[in-house]
Amino acid sequence: MHSTIQLINLLGAGALLLWGLRMIKTGVMRAFGASLRLWIAKGTGNRFAAVLSGIMATLALQSSTATAVITASFASNGAINPRMAQAVMLGANVGTAIAAVILSLDVHWFASAMILVGVTVFQLSKYARGKGIGRALLGLGLMLLALQLVGGVTGPLRESEVMIAVLSGLSDAPAFALILAAVLALVASSSLAVVLFVALLASAGIVTPPLAVTLVAGANLGGAIPPFLAVLHEGVEARRLTLANLVVRGIGAIALTIFAVPAANLLQAVLPNASSLTIAAHIGFSLVLLVLFLPVLGPIGKLAALAVPKPDTPEKGTNYLDDGVLDTPTIALAAAARETLRVSDIVLRMLQGSLEAMRKPGPGTRSTVSLLDDDVDALNQAIKLYLTRLDQTELDADDARRSGEIMSFAINLEHVGDIVEGGLCEVAGKIAKRQLKFSADGLAEIVALYEKTIHNMQLSQTVFMTGDPQLARQLVAAKVEVRQLEASSAKAHIQRVRERVPASVETSSLHLDTLRDLKRINAHLASVAYPILETKGELDESRLRPNAVLEPKTASK
């Protein structure tokens, strides 16, 4: 029972360590995310500046994984030269080693102080930056507290026969120890947490120096896997960068595992303290990789290009959604808005294509619009999943409202695309197949309503991006104009049918279906204006006038 309690305490302390790391990263990204990303992008004028950028960014974020994902996203969109991006990655490795040195310092009171300051700053701050700083300080305090708890738990483990047997087996199987540490770093998404844990085990005498060195090698290898997995669906350059980083760390990890015993003996001669030896092995690993691979960034890039060639056809997918900025809601929401605006451009092309088909019916319009509708559906699915992941973070009221607005507009655009593809293009297809023609007056009315709809589509894009109340009023007023145009056109069409105008009689249902579909499209487009007007107090719950609402007795007469 005692061993079970010790294991629970150890796992709980490890979980608190990971949570503290997450809070530091989240807090820093929310407080300085935009500035930090801009600083990384600008600080890559040469390979030495790029290394420094990687070191400083990782010290701020306490996560080389976060730095790697940010850098990969920049490399993917061309904001950073691939060689300089690789230099940033090498710097990130050094940054996480320096962070391990800082966090391994024995300053017990600092954990309590950081928790106190972090909670105070978070509670007193009214703005996102202040709350982010408070969150980061609280995360640092929790992380230091977790390290103290791990240190308290590992002491009794030295007397555990089971632990001694397990670790003895690891000492005799370095390859398995390497894989185990890599898996732990992968699961934790942090090589830093695993290295600190190994350092505590080494200081308690549970891990021998050669085994500690091997576990450090495995932690470094495992820490390169999460960035590679995170960018699998991004651009070619992002995949090349993270693959090269994984290969570089893999070469270093295998080499260090092979020479673990002489490396441990060398470090023991200088550093008799086992914990310091572990941290020194981590620093030495990163520095050796930096010295060996910084001069050969060009060949590394060429090998990565051979391993991940550019596809023959252009890559389809999102252009702006970047998982690396999910910890910075302002940037993530801007990316989602830009992707949604891209969807609206595709829907606008669909609408314009269906108008052309009405004017000049042909057999190929439906298939062309259907392909565009498939793109709209795929992009909308990506946007919704992206916003869902963003909503799982703690958003303030304004960010949550904006996320809802983007989601709503994206869904309405998807409905518009379905109406164009399944309604308007179907009408155009029937006209072409049956060799029908609208009457001259009927076609003119339909074209006028189409042009009004296209204008409203463009207006809705502007309202979505600017949130301008005056333009929102114009969009809602335009919806009323569309309803009036639809009603007058339907009335005129029915009159022509009564007069037995041949073209009107033949296309009666198609004409009315087209009017109805365009009216529905305008209703979806106008919905983007409602949240803006609601916040201004200019939106009623019902369009009915108060004196038009009947009392129950009056209604029954």
Side-chain angles (χ1 to χ4, degrees), residues 100-172:
V101 174
I102 297 172
L103 292 172
S104 65
L105 297 176
D106 187 16
V107 186
H108 295 298
W109 60 268
F110 198 62
S112 301
M114 287 298 97
I115 292 174
L116 176 62
V117 174
V119 171
T120 303
V121 171
F122 185 86
Q123 292 293 336
L124 296 180
S125 298
K126 297 181 179 179
Y127 301 101
R129 173 162 290 188
K131 287 189 176 294
I133 294 173
R135 189 190 303 271
L137 293 175
L138 176 58
L140 178 59
L142 291 177
M143 190 174 177
L144 294 172
L145 177 62
L147 291 173
Q148 293 179 23
L149 294 175
V150 172
V153 173
T154 53
L157 291 178
R158 284 180 291 184
E159 310 300 328
S160 172
E161 295 181 0
V162 175
M163 183 63 67
I164 293 172
V166 169
L167 294 176
S168 296
L170 286 178
S171 297
D172 296 332

Side-chain angles (χ1 to χ4, degrees), residues 33-34 36-42 44 67-82 85 234 237-238 241 322 325 331:
L36 184 63
R37 289 172 63 85
L38 183 62
W39 184 72
I40 293 175
K42 288 186 174 180
T44 55
T67 304
V69 172
I70 292 173
T71 307
S73 68
F74 281 142
S76 180
N77 59 34
I80 295 181
N81 179 281
E234 292 193 22
E237 291 297 343
L241 177 65
D322 182 0
V325 302
I331 300 177

